[in-house]
Amino acid sequence: MLEKINALLAETEHFFAKTKDELEEFRIKMLSKKGEISNLFVEFKNVPNELKKEVGQTLNVLKNKAQEKIEHLRIALENDEVQADLDLSLTSYPSNLGTRHPLSHMRNEIIEVFTRLGFVISEGPEIEDDWHVFSALNFPAEHPARDMQDTFFIEKNPDIMLRTHTSSVQVRVMDNQKPPIRTISPGRVFRNEAISARAHCIFHQIEGLYIDKDVSFADLKQTLLYFAKEIFGAETKIRLRPSYFPFTEPSAEMDISCSLCGGKGCNVCKHTGWLEILGCGMVDPNVLESNGIDSKVYTGFAFGMGIERMTMLKYGIKDLRRFFENDVRFLKQF
Ligand code: DAH
């Protein structure tokens, strides 16, 4: 009997099936109720006691090997079948790749323009103290921006707050570097405002600061004109209107000719032909002195803009809330 088992073991080992039918034939021969292995188990009763152990073990090995071999060949044949069905000329499934957020696009574009002019990026913390957000920037003690209405204070501590503008990074840069300074600071800012189509309590700004000997208002104007043309097109015109910021003197707000109607007048520019895009000015000598820079030797200019606003103007987006909803149908368009 041992001989018979060993013969079947060898047969199992060498067996190969090219078709499912051949495999099924082998399975019936080996493992069916009336197959070789069942018959051997029936005959096993007649094996003399002293051989039972060896024969029993070998018989079990045969059974396991046969089962393994059949399972192995079954899987291989199924895979072959799948491959035979493959149509390699079919196009692949569309894969849903993520896209960059429109605010990131805009931020990167703005950064790229200024880095071409030699500006380097600097960043600062979102949780700031009064000195960096207000005092070092020449905000008077009673300035309304310091009010709870506008500023989120941490734990009602009037000294620790979420920064309301990226101008705070100017102060950090002046803390750590000596002129010449040429830097832009992108980042998130926070204001206690009701959320609407035009305002949000979280938004993004880019701040610019340039300090050196003999920096003039003409340098500011030329830099911003170049920037506006790069972002909104070569035809773009700029205009500067006098304004007020505590940290710049003189201060201005800059408009660009409406990028949608080319200055003729439309709904977006409210028929004025102009769009306001940023605040700017010459760094107030008080700010330079507060930050350890000699205002008799150095002058500088600064500017700050909202990334949301720039993106809305560039792409004609009417509702600021779209940027924060993360609706894929909106995001996919950029
Ligand atoms: N920090 C101002 C704001 O949040 C924007 C700004 C205006 C920044 C004029 C400047 C500047 O650097 O010179 O409204």
Side-chain angles (χ1 to χ4, degrees):
M1 187 168 167
L2 205 50
E3 261 167 40
K4 168 106 196 198
I5 297 173
N6 282 328
L8 287 170
L9 258 175
E11 185 181 341
T12 303
E13 215 156 272
H14 295 121
F15 177 73
F16 181 76
K18 284 198 257 359
T19 65
K20 282 190 161 179
D21 287 347
E22 277 176 32
L23 180 63
E24 181 60 7
E25 213 174 281
F26 181 72
R27 190 193 67 79
I28 291 169
K29 176 181 174 200
M30 289 296 204
L31 289 172
S32 67
K33 272 196 186 140
K34 294 203 171 119
E36 298 278 12
I37 294 173
S38 293
N39 290 340
L40 286 167
F41 273 108
V42 174
E43 279 175 38
F44 184 68
K45 322 193 259 303
N46 308 325
V47 172
N49 275 347
E50 64 273 18
L51 290 178
K52 266 204 159 75
K53 190 173 174 204
E54 192 189 352
V55 175
Q57 277 174 352
T58 323
L59 189 51
N60 275 324
V61 170
L62 172 64
K63 191 179 160 195
N64 291 338
K65 285 253 152 101
Q67 280 172 341
E68 264 171 36
K69 183 79 178 218
I70 288 167
E71 185 59 12
H72 180 80
L73 287 172
R74 190 183 62 75
I75 291 170
L77 283 168
E78 263 169 23
N79 283 347
D80 281 355
E81 221 164 67
V82 172
Q83 270 171 17
D85 282 350
L86 262 189
D87 179 352
L88 295 176
S89 67
L90 281 177
T91 50
S92 63
Y93 292 107
S95 53
N96 275 325
L97 280 182
T99 55
R100 231 172 228 141
H101 195 280
L103 293 177
S104 304
H105 269 306
M106 191 76 228
R107 183 199 54 207
N108 292 350
E109 226 180 298
I110 298 171
I111 287 175
E112 217 221 295
V113 173
F114 283 107
T115 44
R116 246 181 274 151
L117 294 175
F119 284 73
V120 295
I121 297 175
S122 49
E123 289 180 321
E126 292 175 350
I127 298 175
E128 267 291 11
D129 55 17
D130 178 274
W131 173 254
H132 291 90
V133 179
F134 297 128
S135 296
L137 289 165
N138 203 33
F139 277 78
E142 70 287 359
H143 195 283
R146 290 173 178 251
D147 201 315
M148 288 282 270
Q149 303 294 315
D150 285 324
T151 307
F152 288 113
F153 292 95
I154 307 277
E155 303 284 339
K156 296 206 168 64
N157 178 344
D159 193 43
I160 307 293
M161 64 200 69
L162 297 177
R163 66 181 176 193
T164 57
H165 55 180
T166 43
S167 303
S168 55
V169 186
Q170 284 191 21
V171 180
R172 298 222 162 244
V173 172
M174 288 187 263
D175 275 351
N176 297 316
Q177 291 173 38
K178 293 208 170 351
I181 290 170
R182 213 181 314 178
T183 187
I184 47 165
S185 320
R188 199 155 47 158
V189 300
F190 308 84
R191 282 185 206 173
N192 196 353
E193 297 216 32
I195 295 170
S196 72
R198 313 198 58 201
H200 207 289
C201 53
I202 301 175
F203 55 103
H204 300 79
Q205 290 187 328
I206 290 195
E207 185 77 15
L209 178 69
Y210 184 11
I211 301 174
D212 204 346
K213 289 175 183 154
D214 301 325
V215 176
S216 71
F217 203 91
D219 297 320
L220 168 63
K221 219 173 143 182
Q222 192 56 39
T223 303
L224 293 180
L225 176 63
Y226 172 77
F227 161 71
K229 284 176 184 274
E230 286 297 296
I231 299 287
F232 291 100
E235 306 301 308
T236 310
K237 296 187 186 65
I238 62 166
R239 105 181 156 178
L240 290 151
R241 286 177 288 104
S243 184
Y244 171 77
F245 300 102
F247 35 91
T248 42
E249 183 58 38
S251 303
E253 272 166 323
M254 186 174 99
D255 300 338
I256 54 165
S257 50
C258 180
S259 51
L260 294 160
C261 65
K264 287 189 206 74
C266 66
N267 279 341
V268 176
C269 61
K270 301 203 188 78
H271 302 282
T272 63
W274 295 96
L275 299 166
E276 182 195 320
I277 62 162
L278 55 79
C280 60
M282 299 306 292
V283 180
D284 193 304
N286 283 344
V287 173
L288 295 174
E289 295 293 337
S290 296
N291 292 290
I293 293 173
D294 188 344
S295 64
K296 286 183 207 70
V297 180
Y298 293 103
T299 50
F301 66 69
F303 56 86
M305 68 189 95
I307 302 179
E308 278 79 358
R309 182 164 171 77
M310 295 285 291
T311 316
M312 288 170 86
L313 294 178
K314 178 144 186 182
Y315 297 107
I317 297 162
K318 298 211 171 62
D319 194 326
L320 187 91
R321 289 169 290 198
R322 296 283 104 79
F323 294 125
F324 300 92
E325 286 163 350
N326 286 329
D327 184 330
V328 176
R329 289 167 302 178
F330 171 72
L331 297 178
K332 262 190 177 165
Q333 299 174 41
F334 299 92

